[in-house]
Amino acid sequence: MIKKQKVQALVEAFLAEREGLGLFLVSVSVSPKNEIKVYLDGMQGVDIDDCVEMSRYIEGHLDREEEDFELTVSSAGLDQPLRVPAQYKKNEGREAKVVTAGGETLKGVIESAGEEGFSLRILPARKKSGKKDEEQEAALRSLAYADVKETKLIISFK
């Protein structure tokens, strides 16, 4: 079986050689049947040529004669949860839904992101009272990545 660490090392070597592309690794998985899945992202997105180039690089460094495998290289989709700090940084200013490790659900705008965590400006809830809706004050909440179960972007077509 092909080791995940070997594939991850190949991906990191490729990204180091092509640092100017602005790409980063989101995840690597290898199933017991040698189905390899590599998900990339980038500050300016990922295009099909980036995926093809990465795929060729990995295939060029693995020997199908020694061990057969199936390889998929793809961009991390908009519907996928954010997994690494660079994705949070890339999506500063975008709306997201966050589920904390404690089960709390928060909706807000990712204000800033660092290596250990990020700040979320909680979207104010509208309260109906009398003739006018009252808008509550927006609150800024700091969250550590370790305290977050899942963060997904809220996709809006407005």
Side-chain angles (χ1 to χ4, degrees):
M1 186 170 128
I2 296 172
K3 301 285 184 206
K4 176 182 173 181
Q5 294 83 355
K6 181 176 183 175
V7 176
Q8 193 163 340
L10 288 171
V11 171
E12 289 169 359
F14 173 87
L15 294 174
E17 287 177 15
R18 292 159 182 86
E19 195 174 329
L21 293 176
L23 300 176
F24 53 88
L25 176 63
V26 173
S27 69
V28 171
S29 65
V30 181
S31 77
K33 295 179 180 180
N34 279 340
E35 298 167 333
I36 303 166
K37 294 184 180 176
V38 176
Y39 292 99
L40 303 172
D41 206 344
M43 296 310 274
Q44 270 67 55
V46 179
D47 64 34
I48 190 74
D49 293 334
D50 298 328
C51 294
V52 168
E53 197 174 341
M54 171 71 77
S55 181
R56 287 182 180 153
Y57 182 88
I58 294 169
E59 284 190 26
H61 288 82
L62 295 177
D63 186 2
R64 284 191 187 272
E65 298 296 323
E66 186 178 305
E67 202 162 13
D68 196 26
F69 59 89
E70 179 183 322
L71 175 62
T72 303
V73 177
S74 179
S75 64
L78 283 175
D79 61 332
Q80 298 297 308
L82 303 183
R83 298 181 191 269
V84 295
Q87 286 182 295
Y88 286 83
K89 186 75 176 160
K90 172 188 174 183
N91 289 292
E92 287 177 350
R94 299 207 45 202
E95 288 184 30
K97 177 180 168 185
V98 177
V99 179
T100 66
E104 182 181 12
T105 300
L106 306 168
K107 288 185 180 180
V109 175
I110 300 171
E111 288 289 315
S112 63
E115 288 302 311
E116 301 297 320
F118 64 102
S119 296
L120 186 72
R121 181 161 310 282
I122 306 299
L123 295 175
R126 295 175 88 63
K127 255 187 171 177
K128 295 205 181 225
S129 64
K131 295 180 183 178
K132 289 188 174 182
D133 289 351
E134 290 180 26
E135 200 166 290
Q136 294 179 333
E137 197 69 29
L140 190 62
R141 177 114 173 241
S142 294
L143 298 159
Y145 298 123
D147 297 333
V148 174
K149 181 178 178 183
E150 180 179 83
T151 301
K152 283 190 169 187
L153 296 176
I154 297 172
I155 302 167
S156 175
F157 297 102
K158 293 181 185 178

